[in-house]
Amino acid sequence: SVTREEFVKIIVAAFDLADEEVSCEFEDVSKDRWSYPYIAAASKLGIVSGDGVSFNPAAGISRQDMAVIICRVLEYSGAKVSGEAIGFSDDADISDYAKDAVETLTAAGIINGMGDGTFAPGGTVTRAQAAKVVYGLFGLVGGGK
């Protein structure tokens, strides 16, 4: 599985979003934490927001949170998406804050379900799933490195 901080580092590095002059105010991300510069850069760009107070960096990242982050990078890039969104048998389980992101990314072909007709929004992202969505976004918008 991939943690929230690991996923943010992957995104910031892959899309060249690093910024040495940033800071963030998450109470659970200290300046001496290895992931601080990545989380701070993503926070500055509005790619991550945590819960407004905490980021919970060492927790596994959920599939719906991954979708939101990827969608925000897509929006930041200015790329436009067209296509038909995929419906899932567990659509009702996708949190309201993530519904648009999941629809956008399925329409773009960047993210898909679990093979059984579900999206599994609360499921923890695996390395393979993270690699697939980053690669899909990379193919659509390009990357930094």
Side-chain angles (χ1 to χ4, degrees), residues 38-50:
Y38 306 104
I39 294 168
S43 177
K44 176 185 175 187
L45 295 173
I47 292 169
V48 299
S49 58

Side-chain angles (χ1 to χ4, degrees), residues 2-56:
V2 177
T3 66
R4 295 172 55 80
E5 66 190 338
E6 289 168 341
F7 190 72
V8 169
K9 185 205 187 245
I10 291 166
I11 294 300
V12 169
F15 297 97
D16 199 20
L17 303 174
D19 182 343
E20 299 299 321
E21 303 299 319
V22 296
S23 64
C24 68
E25 300 298 323
F26 296 120
E27 66 182 21
D28 57 352
V29 182
S30 64
K31 289 187 181 195
D32 61 348
R33 188 176 190 94
W34 72 266
S35 59
Y36 180 84
Y38 306 104
I39 294 168
S43 177
K44 176 185 175 187
L45 295 173
I47 292 169
V48 299
S49 58
D51 66 7
V53 176
S54 300
F55 184 72
N56 204 6

Side-chain angles (χ1 to χ4, degrees), residues 19-143:
D19 182 343
E20 299 299 321
E21 303 299 319
V22 296
S23 64
C24 68
E25 300 298 323
F26 296 120
E27 66 182 21
D28 57 352
V29 182
S30 64
K31 289 187 181 195
D32 61 348
R33 188 176 190 94
W34 72 266
S35 59
Y36 180 84
Y38 306 104
I39 294 168
S43 177
K44 176 185 175 187
L45 295 173
I47 292 169
V48 299
S49 58
D51 66 7
V53 176
S54 300
F55 184 72
N56 204 6
I61 188 165
S62 69
R63 289 177 47 81
Q64 66 186 357
D65 286 352
M66 173 185 67
V68 169
I69 291 170
I70 290 290
C71 194
R72 288 177 180 164
V73 174
L74 179 66
E75 291 167 359
Y76 176 77
S77 76
K80 301 297 179 208
V81 173
S82 62
E84 185 85 20
I86 298 171
F88 299 104
S89 61
D90 59 351
D91 276 342
D93 296 335
I94 301 171
S95 296
D96 289 341
Y97 73 87
K99 286 185 185 293
D100 288 343
V102 171
E103 288 176 7
T104 298
L105 297 178
T106 60
I110 293 173
I111 200 167
N112 54 26
M114 300 300 291
D116 62 356
T118 65
F119 180 70
T124 303
V125 173
T126 66
R127 286 187 220 161
Q129 292 166 345
K132 186 225 183 273
V133 298
V134 171
Y135 181 77
L137 183 60
F138 205 79
L140 186 63
V141 304

